[in-house]
Amino acid sequence: MEKYISKNSSWDMGFLGITIFGIGGVSDAIWHTILGIEEGIEALISPSHLFLFIGGFLMLAHIIASQPSKKSLDFSTIISIASIYSLIMFITQFMNPFLSVYEFFFTDWKQELAAGSLFFQALLTNIVFLYILKFNISKKQIVIIYLTSFLLLSIHALLGDQNKMILIILTGFIYSVILIPILHWFFQTKNPLKIQISGALIAATYGGILILYIFISSQFFWETLEIKWRFYGLGGLIFMPGLFGFLIGNLYSKNS
């Protein structure tokens, strides 16, 4: 009976996703006809586009819910999880430090936005890690999820700017490779704080890889600007996400 309910629930989720996506498509056409084309952030958070995003989420979630067993995830499920993560990154691209790296070269309010965007995305990275722990997932599959998310993000947000696309993909590859020893330690250790420590390391590594991205960008794309962050500020971009990652891991551990 439980299996029957679960199976039908997954199909309901997929059908609901298709329905909402269809409503979003029709309403988006009407919206553009009456109100015109959105500009800037409005294009990401307009009601009709949110319908499209929600429909997309549910259709991807249908694939995950239809997974017959959690003991081994197939390729379609892995790509679905990566696509959901990438879609969230796309919706929140105005709060993504990899897409707004120039903000790190100023000392006004842009600096505050830059730090906030890093903390937000680092926490999102950590939340994704904690979510996929519910599956019996391998280190290789986790790396595929993160690398695919960087790949899809570069295509979505930087299509046409090949140099920045390549740099984001390369950065995502380096980040994914660095995750391998962290994940190896997580799956091998019996440390009671392994969830908290792994979450902290994953979030802190995100901050570290962003610093690398900033310095590379300063050499190739923003060579006329000077990085305003000092060494202790840059260190904070690693330490603070790590601290938040540890705290979120602690909450997850107590509720799991």
Side-chain angles (χ1 to χ4, degrees):
M1 181 66 178
E2 182 179 353
K3 182 177 180 181
Y4 174 80
I5 294 175
S6 176
K7 182 177 180 180
N8 280 272
S9 297
S10 69
W11 279 106
D12 292 343
M13 187 183 302
F15 180 77
L16 180 61
I18 294 174
T19 303
I20 293 178
F21 191 87
I23 294 174
V26 174
S27 62
D28 192 49
I30 297 174
W31 180 284
H32 290 171
T33 301
I34 298 176
L35 300 176
I37 305 297
E38 304 92 338
E39 296 182 0
I41 297 178
E42 290 180 347
L44 295 172
I45 59 176
S46 66
S48 58
H49 288 177
L50 290 179
F51 269 101
L52 293 173
F53 291 141
I54 293 173
F57 280 131
L58 291 174
M59 286 188 285
L60 290 169
H62 158 71
I63 299 176
I64 300 173
S66 301
Q67 176 70 25
S69 173
K70 292 184 179 181
K71 294 183 178 180
S72 60
L73 300 182
D74 57 24
F75 183 73
S76 62
T77 304
I78 296 299
I79 296 300
S80 297
I81 296 174
S83 298
I84 290 176
Y85 179 29
S86 176
L87 187 55
I88 295 174
M89 293 174 71
F90 175 74
I91 297 173
T92 60
Q93 61 182 267
F94 54 89
M95 284 289 289
N96 193 303
F98 285 96
L99 302 180
S100 304
V101 68
Y102 65 90
E103 295 170 351
F104 288 90
F105 296 91
F106 298 90
T107 56
D108 54 9
W109 59 270
K110 294 185 180 69
Q111 189 179 51
E112 300 173 2
L113 181 61
S117 65
L118 167 62
F119 296 156
F120 175 81
Q121 293 296 336
L123 292 181
L124 179 59
T125 300
N126 189 39
I127 291 172
V128 170
F129 169 70
L130 295 176
Y131 169 74
I132 57 183
L133 286 183
K134 64 186 292 186
F135 303 99
N136 186 13
I137 193 168
S138 67
K139 298 187 292 291
K140 182 184 296 185
Q141 290 173 327
I142 293 178
V143 170
I144 290 175
I145 288 174
Y146 283 104
L147 181 58
T148 302
S149 66
F150 273 90
L151 174 62
L152 295 179
L153 174 68
S154 68
I155 295 175
H156 287 160
L158 297 173
L159 187 61
D161 193 336
Q162 295 183 355
N163 292 331
K164 291 184 179 179
M165 285 179 62
I166 293 173
L167 182 56
I168 283 187
I169 294 173
L170 178 61
T171 305
F173 175 77
I174 296 174
Y175 178 66
S176 301
V177 170
I178 295 176
L179 290 184
I180 293 177
I182 298 175
L183 297 171
H184 178 76
W185 176 83
F186 174 82
F187 286 111
Q188 296 296 323
T189 186
K190 296 182 179 180
N191 191 312
L193 296 177
K194 68 177 186 177
I195 293 179
Q196 294 92 322
I197 296 174
S198 298
L201 290 174
I202 286 175
T205 302
Y206 188 92
I209 206 68
L210 174 66
I211 293 176
L212 174 64
Y213 181 82
I214 292 173
F215 278 103
I216 295 177
S217 297
S218 68
Q219 297 297 318
F220 293 97
F221 304 113
W222 306 96
E223 62 274 4
T224 59
L225 298 176
E226 179 183 356
I227 299 177
K228 303 298 183 180
W229 292 71
R230 301 180 185 180
F231 71 93
Y232 46 82
L234 294 174
L237 296 180
I238 298 176
F239 176 78
M240 288 301 293
L243 176 60
F244 292 152
F246 186 93
L247 295 176
I248 291 180
N250 193 51
L251 292 174
Y252 176 87
S253 178
K254 290 183 177 181
N255 290 282
S256 60

